[in-house]
Amino acid sequence: MRHICLLIALSTWGLAPAEAADYQTLQWNDLLPPSAHTTTQPDPAQTINHTGGSAPQLEGSTRPELDHHQVRIPGYVVPIDGDEQSVRTFLLVPFFGACIHVPPPPSNQIVFVTLKEPVSVDELWDAVWVYGTLQTERSSHELANAGYQMQGVRIESYE
């Protein structure tokens, strides 16, 4: 039932099928510059800080060639601006609990998303696809630094 509610809430933001084809599908590794693929990133499960202090966030280089591309990328929503019923700005992160339960991923693995209109998100723990125009512009927030920004135009359930 909760998946049906999420689909109903997110499907109100639709693009025509032809428009959806105009978006390049990215995975999280696609946001890393080639040099980052040769370095090892810490496993989030190994870096949980149980003492209450915060671990430092790693900064990462972005891929300037992705600037102003229309993309879709899967991830999890970490609300920045909104309430229990809707969200307008959020961090899109590659795994559940990032920025909240474990140290944040490197900045090049976080996208700060701004929506023109708030969207209802009933199940924030479910993965979503976010469509929009990606920018290689850094931003800093209380929870984490983001290496990318996106003007979001569509959100849909990840299946």
Side-chain angles (χ1 to χ4, degrees):
M1 178 65 178
R2 67 182 159 164
H3 292 290
I4 292 171
C5 292
L6 180 63
L7 281 174
I8 292 168
L10 296 177
S11 65
T12 60
W13 261 45
L15 295 176
E19 291 176 14
D22 294 336
Y23 288 82
Q24 175 186 358
T25 299
L26 294 180
Q27 299 301 322
W28 288 96
N29 281 341
D30 296 328
L31 298 180
L32 300 172
S35 61
H37 292 282
T38 60
T39 62
T40 57
Q41 299 291 334
D43 177 4
Q46 300 298 318
T47 58
I48 296 174
N49 187 337
H50 295 284
T51 62
S54 62
Q57 179 185 14
L58 297 174
E59 293 298 321
S61 299
T62 58
R63 292 190 48 206
E65 66 272 19
L66 293 175
D67 197 30
H68 298 290
H69 279 230
Q70 289 188 315
V71 302
R72 78 176 193 144
I73 186 167
Y76 293 88
V77 173
V78 178
I80 297 291
D81 177 34
D83 55 32
E84 302 85 41
Q85 281 88 36
S86 65
V87 64
R88 180 185 297 269
T89 60
F90 58 90
L91 298 176
L92 187 68
V93 295
F95 56 89
F96 181 79
C99 302
I100 297 172
H101 301 296
V102 297
S107 59
N108 59 6
Q109 293 291 279
I110 299 176
V111 180
F112 176 71
V113 180
T114 303
L115 305 171
K116 289 184 180 182
E117 298 290 328
V119 63
S120 175
V121 181
D122 294 330
E123 308 291 338
L124 292 179
W125 52 84
D126 288 335
V128 296
W129 283 103
V130 179
Y131 293 73
T133 302
L134 191 68
Q135 294 178 301
T136 54
E137 187 173 322
R138 294 188 177 282
S139 59
S140 182
H141 304 280
E142 184 178 313
L143 295 173
N145 296 324
Y148 294 92
Q149 293 188 32
M150 179 187 287
Q151 179 62 53
V153 297
R154 179 182 180 185
I155 299 175
E156 66 183 23
S157 180
Y158 180 85
E159 299 207 19

